[in-house]
């Protein structure tokens, strides 16, 4: 079901055009207007009214509309490739929801979208800063160690430390 077709709109319709198209459709197909009609006509009008209401709810909300347009374009690519897009009744907006890739496949679009989120970029920058600080500190400590202990082996330094400890212990008694 195409929400734009349901309301008789083009894809670039403004919010005012959407509201007006829904108002006209609601007046035409509202169940109260068809309360005295035959069951067949009443059910048809009720169905059209529900579709118009659903289309209005999706198209009037900017976030839902952007999501719907994205999915509509994705479904359109399936039409052009010769594959038939199955209609999912579990879809929350009543339109085609492309099948998800299995977990074993890498989806570059999803990864790129995740990487370009502001929160992800801030976290990556913080992680990079911490890693850089760690590397600088590690190199600095190594250079200070070499400067203070030039020409001595590790064993000689450990002996000096142990002598200092034993000397400190004997003087404190």
């Amino acid at each position: 079901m195409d929400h734009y077709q349901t309301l008789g709109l083009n894809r670039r319709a403004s919010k005012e055009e959407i509201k007006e198209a829904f108002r006209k459709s609601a007046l035409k197909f509202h169940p109260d207007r068809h309360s005295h009609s035959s069951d067949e006509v009443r059910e048809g009008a009720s169905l059209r009214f529900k579709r118009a209401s659903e289309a209005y709810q999706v198209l009037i909300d900017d976030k839902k509309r952007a999501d719907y347009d994205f999915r509509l374009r994705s479904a359109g690519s399936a039409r052009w490739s010769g594959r038939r897009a199955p209609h999912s009744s579990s879809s929350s907006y009543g339109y085609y929801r492309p099948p998800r890739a299995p977990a074993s496949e890498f989806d570059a679009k999803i990864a790129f979208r995740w990487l370009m989120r502001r929160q992800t970029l801030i976290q990556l920058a913080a992680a990079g800063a911490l890693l850089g600080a760690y590397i600088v500190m590690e190199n600095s400590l190594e250079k200070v160690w070499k400067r203070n202990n030039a020409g001595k082996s590790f064993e000689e330094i450990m002996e000096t430390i142990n002598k200092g400890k034993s000397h400190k212990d004997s003087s404190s008694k």
Side-chain angles (χ1 to χ4, degrees), residues 6-142:
T6 301
L7 295 176
L9 298 169
N10 67 23
R11 306 256 185 261
R12 293 190 178 109
S14 67
K15 284 192 175 196
E16 294 304 316
E17 292 172 324
I18 294 168
K19 286 179 185 178
E20 183 62 25
F22 173 67
R23 189 183 71 73
K24 286 180 182 177
S25 182
L27 287 173
K28 188 175 180 181
F29 298 112
H30 196 278
D32 291 345
R33 283 199 98 150
H34 298 279
S35 61
H36 300 297
S37 303
S38 67
D39 288 344
E40 188 177 309
V41 171
R42 196 175 355 174
E43 287 177 20
S46 179
L47 179 64
R48 301 262 322 251
F49 179 76
K50 286 178 184 177
R51 286 182 180 173
S53 297
E54 185 179 341
Y56 176 75
Q57 288 175 353
V58 171
L59 297 179
I60 204 68
D61 184 314
D62 292 333
K63 193 172 185 179
K64 288 180 182 178
R65 185 176 181 181
D67 184 44
Y68 173 73
D69 288 343
F70 175 76
R71 292 178 189 274
L72 196 65
R73 282 192 301 272
S74 297
S77 65
R79 265 187 256 142
W80 291 110
S81 68
R83 294 179 286 143
R84 184 148 198 273
H87 184 279
S88 171
S89 60
S90 64
S91 139
S92 59
Y93 302 129
Y95 54 86
Y96 170 69
R97 178 174 287 159
R100 295 186 100 160
S104 62
E105 291 183 23
F106 177 76
D107 190 350
K109 284 183 184 178
I110 292 173
F112 183 74
R113 239 187 271 148
W114 179 80
L115 281 172
M116 292 298 111
R117 290 183 342 187
R118 178 180 293 165
Q119 181 182 6
T120 305
L121 293 173
I122 290 170
Q123 290 171 346
L124 286 173
L130 288 173
L131 180 63
Y134 173 77
I135 291 170
V136 167
M137 291 292 294
E138 190 68 26
N139 287 338
S140 299
L141 289 173
E142 188 178 334

